Amino acid sequence: MLKKLSYLALFLMAVVVTGVYLAFNVPEQPEVASGAQVSQYSIRCVENASAASIDKNGELSITVWNIYKQQRDSWHQALVGFSADSDLVLLQEAKLTQELGQYLQESRWQVTMANAFTFLDTPAGVMNLSREKAEKTCAYLAVEPWLRLPKSALLSRYPLSDGSTLTVVNLHGINFAWGVDEYRAQFAALANQIGKAEGPVIVAGDFNTWREERMAVVQEFAEQLALHEATMEKDLRIRILGWPLDHLFYRGLKLEQAEAPVTDASDHHPIIARFRLLESKGAKQ
């Protein structure tokens, strides 16, 4: 009897696990959506023929936040507050629920989203909210070795008022892997594209740097691309084993101020930063 119950338990567990995976739909190729119909995805990249500069008179404000799939009731109020003065908001773990969709339709934002996967027909991934449209945005996927569900990234290019182009990467790093081979490959794929950028660059998001070896990969990536990490006056970023998970790197811009305030609206705290365009190519960062 006990043996039969054990087999039944294993069978039921297999049914549950299979049912969960059937509820997920993973795209075969990277998919990106933009505009009012953010749930309608095209393959890999979207472009806009004309776009206005994203900065305001040489100043650029940015918010970076893992929004935790909006699982906490206060996400809406917190997002409105954190992004009130932002020109660009980079969200990770955005889940395109009816509530988020309604907020986006009623907001001032230009919206671009990478579809990492859908769960019960609801897309989830990284999302850019910007004051102005990007000239071009491409989606990238990196599959979690254990879960086999992707993490996503968006690489966008925004015009600046000085005639240059800002390259922005919104990244959600691979999490469930003890080794760093897949993690390093995720950053290497983006480095190939960032290395082609001639203007300013911002790379930010939830990097899942919860151990020293992962942080070493990120530091190598930053050194390769001459990126600087934003130093925060109030650094209350979520940490695991002493390592912060969220980061904001930049080059070709002057950092005016950055902070990571506390919130209970997610399991991550946001990074809020303000930059100024360099006055000349010879100016120091």
Side-chain angles (χ1 to χ4, degrees):
M1 181 66 178
L2 182 60
K3 190 174 183 179
K4 288 183 178 180
L5 289 175
S6 297
Y7 284 137
L8 178 60
L10 289 172
F11 173 74
L12 291 174
M13 184 179 298
V15 169
V16 170
V17 171
T18 301
V20 169
Y21 272 92
L22 287 175
F24 285 93
N25 182 18
V26 178
E28 295 182 2
Q29 301 182 59
E31 295 180 345
V32 60
S34 180
Q37 300 299 321
V38 73
S39 59
Q40 296 180 4
Y41 289 87
S42 63
I43 299 299
R44 192 59 185 271
C45 299
V46 293
E47 297 186 52
N48 292 295
S50 60
S53 58
I54 192 171
D55 63 286
K56 291 179 289 192
N57 299 318
E59 291 190 351
L60 178 70
S61 297
I62 179 171
T63 296
V64 183
W65 191 28
N66 182 320
I67 200 170
Y68 194 45
K69 301 181 181 71
Q70 306 98 251
Q71 293 184 66
R72 297 183 179 171
D73 292 340
S74 54
W75 71 265
H76 182 277
Q77 181 180 0
L79 177 58
V80 171
F82 292 141
S83 64
D85 298 322
S86 296
D87 304 299
L88 180 63
V89 180
L90 308 181
L91 300 177
Q92 301 83 50
E93 290 196 35
K95 186 177 180 182
L96 195 57
T97 59
Q98 182 178 352
E99 292 79 11
L100 179 57
Q102 182 176 352
Y103 163 73
L104 297 175
Q105 288 181 3
E106 296 173 352
S107 72
R108 61 188 173 95
W109 298 116
Q110 302 294 331
V111 185
T112 311
M113 183 178 183
N115 179 25
F117 56 83
T118 60
F119 179 69
L120 297 177
D121 297 325
T122 303
V126 298
M127 178 182 287
N128 290 3
L129 311 180
S130 56
R131 191 171 65 85
E132 301 291 347
K133 293 180 180 180
E135 291 180 338
K136 184 176 182 179
T137 299
C138 294
Y140 294 81
L141 297 181
V143 177
E144 290 276 7
W146 296 352
L147 297 182
R148 307 309 299 170
L149 291 175
K151 289 292 194 295
S152 56
L154 286 172
L155 191 152
S156 305
R157 303 190 189 278
Y158 296 92
L160 294 172
S161 59
D162 63 0
S164 64
T165 299
L166 172 68
T167 299
V168 176
V169 175
N170 179 0
L171 172 67
H172 193 190
I174 285 177
N175 191 18
F176 300 102
W178 186 250
V180 295
D181 289 345
E182 293 88 356
Y183 190 70
R184 179 176 284 110
Q186 183 183 21
F187 280 88
L190 292 166
N192 288 334
Q193 297 300 317
I194 299 169
K196 302 173 185 177
E198 297 182 356
V201 173
I202 288 175
V203 182
D206 174 6
F207 289 12
N208 278 313
T209 42
W210 43 263
R211 62 189 292 226
E212 184 176 2
E213 291 80 358
R214 286 170 164 259
M215 197 64 233
V217 170
V218 173
Q219 289 171 343
E220 179 183 344
F221 167 82
E223 290 174 5
Q224 175 189 352
L225 296 169
L227 300 173
H228 307 273
E229 181 158 19
T231 302
M232 284 159 243
E233 298 175 5
K234 181 195 295 183
D235 188 357
L236 299 175
R237 288 176 293 175
I238 291 295
R239 296 171 184 264
I240 293 181
L241 301 176
W243 299 98
L245 303 183
D246 305 291
H247 301 272
L248 193 164
F249 288 89
Y250 68 98
R251 80 174 188 219
L253 297 164
K254 180 181 179 182
L255 178 63
E256 298 277 291
Q257 184 183 20
E259 63 174 349
V262 170
T263 181
D264 62 0
S266 170
D267 61 346
H268 287 247
H269 301 157
I271 297 173
I272 303 173
R274 188 175 74 253
F275 293 93
R276 177 171 289 279
L277 305 190
L278 300 182
E279 294 182 1
S280 68
K281 292 184 180 179
K284 295 183 179 181
Q285 300 178 37

